Amino acid sequence: MTDYDLIVIGAGPAGLLAAMECKKRGMKHILVIEKNIVVGGMLNTADYPVFRDSKKTGKEYAKELVKEFEASGIETKLSTMVLNISPEGNVICTSAEHGVEAIHARKILLANGGKEKGRSPLNMPGDRVAGAYSLGTAKMIASEPDLCLGKNIAIYGTKHLDSIEPLFTSKGIKVGTIINPKNDSFSFAPASEALLYNGYDIAQILGDGRIERLVIKKGLETIDVKCDTLIFASGWLSDGIVAMRSGIVLNPETTGPKVDKNYQTSRADIFASGNGIYIHEAMEDIIEEAKAVAAVIKPSL
């Protein structure tokens, strides 16, 4: 069995930065495991600013970060899904190339990021129909030249709409309805022709095969809204799946692993950082956190 000083689960910005910081501090045998075919995580599709004090987009920063990571020589396993971490500290993972394997490390960092809230966490009743997408999935569909996202689009929520607005504008995609359940402020200016329902929630999703209409509700008032596509822009949750499968205590407020002030989870020598513990507002926070995590994992220079 291969043995490492550190295994980092997740090759998004939190994982890459922490791995490089640990190497700078003297760790020699580091492995980064990533379920996707490339490193960079959410930065690869972020064509919007990800810093507080810079207009640099996620895609632009991803090119810089990946170039630095590749130059570091840190080993990676791509297209590899981590199933759990065994009681003995073995990372159990699977891939098409190697099947199921166990990889041991003295220390492990969970950096598997966040996931978009979809219909399930919102517990919306109604028909099981096509045409309901998370913001990220909608963005991927809209970016494909031969695919039609929809002709009458409704958006539920206002989180991160600025990330998809340039794509909508460039392809002439019209949003007919915006349902703003918490009356949040907008990160972009909605089209003047869009119907805006502040303080409403979705009571039902109805359709035959594909979404045909929504029933939205505010107090005792209900309104029918016609649409063929519904996009959930309800923000992100921390991804605690691997932690949960590994018997690690979760934080119910974030759905990610619960950590102490040293980023350690409820299991010895297993740490967590990045959007996997809570959703960070800006890349500056993730960069600074990576330095702090590395200082704990490898305290002496």
Side-chain angles (χ1 to χ4, degrees):
M1 183 187 299
T2 306
D3 200 5
Y4 291 89
D5 295 324
L6 173 68
I7 290 179
V8 178
I9 300 172
L16 298 184
L17 287 163
M20 289 189 291
E21 288 292 336
C22 286
K23 183 165 185 180
K24 290 175 185 176
R25 285 179 164 268
M27 274 192 160
K28 295 181 179 180
H29 303 293
I30 301 173
L31 173 65
V32 177
I33 302 177
E34 170 58 42
K35 64 184 177 183
N36 293 314
I37 61 173
V38 295
V39 302
M42 66 88 171
L43 292 177
N44 293 320
T45 58
D47 48 9
Y48 54 92
V50 293
F51 290 87
R52 286 193 191 90
D53 302 320
S54 170
K55 294 184 179 179
K56 185 182 295 183
T57 67
K59 284 184 176 180
E60 291 169 338
Y61 179 56
K63 291 179 181 179
E64 299 174 8
L65 181 61
V66 171
K67 183 177 180 180
E68 182 183 359
F69 178 74
E70 289 176 345
S72 74
I74 294 172
E75 185 180 348
T76 58
K77 285 179 72 70
L78 302 177
S79 302
T80 301
M81 178 72 71
V82 172
L83 303 176
N84 61 61
I85 303 167
S86 75
E88 297 77 27
N90 297 323
V91 175
I92 311 301
C93 54
T94 181
S95 65
E97 183 177 0
H98 299 288
V100 177
E101 56 184 329
I103 309 173
H104 187 265
R106 294 173 181 85
K107 295 182 180 180
I108 297 167
L109 175 65
L110 293 168
N112 39 342
K115 56 186 178 182
E116 286 186 279
K117 294 179 185 177
R119 176 174 179 170
S120 295
L122 298 171
N123 294 318
M124 289 181 180
D127 299 326
R128 294 295 182 258
V129 289
Y133 308 110
S134 69
L135 190 63
T137 301
K139 187 174 180 179
M140 286 190 288
I141 295 172
S143 65
E144 292 293 330
D146 299 325
L147 296 179
C148 177
L149 179 61
K151 297 180 180 179
N152 188 0
I153 295 173
I155 296 179
Y156 178 86
T158 62
K159 301 295 184 183
H160 308 296
L161 289 181
D162 54 340
S163 70
I164 201 169
E165 189 223 355
L167 182 59
F168 275 22
T169 302
S170 66
K171 295 197 69 174
I173 296 174
K174 300 288 186 180
V175 176
T177 305
I178 297 177
I179 303 158
N180 187 3
K182 296 183 179 179
N183 203 13
D184 291 331
S185 59
F186 283 85
S187 54
F188 80 108
S192 58
E193 63 269 25
L195 296 173
L196 177 60
Y197 294 98
N198 280 319
Y200 285 79
D201 220 322
I202 296 178
Q204 280 189 299
I205 300 172
L206 302 172
D208 184 9
R210 188 179 179 92
I211 291 176
E212 296 172 358
R213 64 187 178 95
L214 308 173
V215 179
I216 63 174
K217 185 175 182 180
K218 182 179 182 181
L220 298 177
E221 179 187 13
T222 60
I223 298 175
D224 269 19
V225 174
K226 291 184 178 181
C227 66
D228 59 19
T229 303
L230 173 62
I231 298 173
F232 293 107
S234 304
W236 292 68
L237 296 168
S238 296
D239 189 347
I241 295 297
V242 173
M244 179 186 69
R245 291 173 179 166
S246 306
I248 292 170
V249 175
L250 300 184
N251 182 341
E253 295 183 4
T254 68
T255 71
K258 186 176 182 180
V259 297
D260 63 15
K261 63 181 181 180
N262 293 319
Y263 302 97
Q264 182 155 307
T265 70
S266 59
R267 285 186 56 180
D269 295 326
I270 300 179
F271 303 82
S273 67
N275 286 338
I277 55 174
Y278 72 91
I279 304 303
H280 294 57
E281 292 296 325
M283 194 55 58
E284 288 96 334
D285 300 331
I286 293 178
I287 292 171
E288 289 304 310
E289 186 179 83
K291 295 175 183 177
V293 170
V296 171
I297 293 176
K298 186 68 171 67
S300 59
L301 289 170

